[in-house]
């Protein structure tokens, strides 16, 4: 079931900051309290391959997200201790040293389960327990959520494990949603900041298509 249009789950989970401090983080309450948008991106595992490229890519774009009143938060099902070790491993050794945004450590998988993003592919049927044994790794897919200032999800996407994200696309989505918030217009296909939007009616789409 999609989470778009719904409030983000009201669940507090462990998280770690750049200093190595562990604390409870509730994404919904953080968005509402600070009146900011949130980009929450999940990745499968620390100390893997595609994952550090994404964490560094979001870090490099952190200033652009801040300009858009948006908080960036990473998340996986690793423990805080594993996050801390990875944060202290240099970039040229495959680590994420230099990442400054908070990273959720959903090791009990409460939030990932609520979002339905775990790789829990059914495996062999066990007659004794009348269940299917989990064949997947029970880690999260590359799921991404954009959440507005009221805690409502306005975008979600889920990638399979080998597929890295395009950070620029999330900046574009935030720009588009902010345009809708400010102007009440809708954003057509391939819209970017500074391009023409349109009114959400028959004349609006007709006029837009005539000029494009």
């Amino acid at each position: 079931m999609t989470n778009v249009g719904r409030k983000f789950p009201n669940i507090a989970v462990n998280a770690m900051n750049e200093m190595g401090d562990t604390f409870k983080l509730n994404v919904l309450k953080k968005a509402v309290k600070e009146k900011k948008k949130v980009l929450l991106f999940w990745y499968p595992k620390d100390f893997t391959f595609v994952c550090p490229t994404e964490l560094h890519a979001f870090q490099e774009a952190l200033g652009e997200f801040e300009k858009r009143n948006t908080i960036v938060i990473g998340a996986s099902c690793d423990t805080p201790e594993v996050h801390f070790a990875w944060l202290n491993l240099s970039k040229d050794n495959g680590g994420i040293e230099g990442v400054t945004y908070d990273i959720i450590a959903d090791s009990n998988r409460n939030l990932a389960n609520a979002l339905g993003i775990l790789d829990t592919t059914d495996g062999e049927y066990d007659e004794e327990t009348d269940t299917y044994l989990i064949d997947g790794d029970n880690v999260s897919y590359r799921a991404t959520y954009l959440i507005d200032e009221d805690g409502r999800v306005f975008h979600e996407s889920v990638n399979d494990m080998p597929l890295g994200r395009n950070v620029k696309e999330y900046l574009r989505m935030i720009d588009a949603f902010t345009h809708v918030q400010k102007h009440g217009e809708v954003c057509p296909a391939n819209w970017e900041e500074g391009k023409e939007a349109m009114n959400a009616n028959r004349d609006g789409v007709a006029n837009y298509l005539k000029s494009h």
Side-chain angles (χ1 to χ4, degrees):
M1 181 181 294
T2 181
N3 293 280
V4 172
R6 302 172 182 268
K7 292 279 189 178
F8 193 78
N10 185 13
I11 299 174
V13 289
N14 285 331
M16 175 167 284
N17 62 24
E18 62 177 310
M19 304 302 295
D21 302 318
T22 302
F23 59 97
K24 289 292 185 182
L25 175 60
N26 185 311
V27 176
L28 170 66
K29 291 183 178 179
K30 188 174 182 67
V32 173
K33 182 179 179 180
E34 299 189 21
K35 283 296 174 186
K36 292 179 181 288
K37 294 180 177 68
V38 174
L39 180 144
L40 172 64
F41 73 97
W42 291 78
Y43 61 92
K45 291 181 182 179
D46 294 355
F47 294 97
T48 51
F49 316 112
V50 175
C51 297
T53 68
E54 292 192 311
L55 272 81
H56 286 298
F58 279 108
Q59 178 66 35
E60 290 169 7
L62 198 58
E64 291 300 318
F65 286 104
E66 290 173 350
K67 288 178 186 177
R68 292 162 171 82
N69 196 42
T70 301
I71 301 166
V72 173
I73 301 172
S76 80
C77 296
D78 294 283
T79 64
E81 293 79 11
V82 176
H83 283 344
F84 184 71
W86 206 26
L87 280 163
N88 282 278
L89 186 65
S90 64
K91 187 175 181 180
D92 57 3
N93 282 313
I96 58 167
E97 185 179 36
V99 167
T100 60
Y101 48 81
D102 298 336
I103 304 176
I104 285 172
D106 187 28
S107 55
N108 59 17
R109 291 162 172 75
N110 285 345
L111 183 54
N113 262 316
L115 294 168
I117 57 172
L118 289 174
D119 174 22
T120 55
T121 310
D122 288 340
E124 182 180 353
Y125 180 68
D126 184 351
E127 293 184 358
E128 291 185 7
T129 61
D130 192 30
T131 59
Y132 281 91
L133 301 176
I134 291 175
D135 190 38
D137 289 334
N138 203 29
V139 298
S140 70
Y141 290 106
R142 298 186 192 283
T144 313
Y145 298 89
L146 293 176
I147 303 156
D148 70 14
E149 298 87 346
D150 295 318
R152 189 181 67 90
V153 177
F154 66 90
H155 169 86
E156 68 177 350
S157 59
V158 182
N159 292 7
D160 201 354
M161 308 295 184
L163 307 176
R165 282 163 279 218
N166 184 336
V167 174
K168 291 181 180 179
E169 173 61 10
Y170 300 108
L171 292 170
R172 189 191 74 84
M173 292 296 296
I174 293 169
D175 286 341
F177 187 75
T178 302
H179 184 93
V180 173
Q181 287 178 309
K182 288 182 177 179
H183 304 288
E185 296 179 314
V186 293
C187 298
N190 300 320
W191 183 92
E192 294 177 348
E193 182 65 41
K195 290 188 175 181
E196 181 185 358
M198 63 187 191
N199 293 320
N201 54 43
R202 292 175 63 86
D203 288 339
V205 66
N207 291 333
Y208 181 85
L209 293 175
K210 284 178 184 177
S211 59
H212 292 78

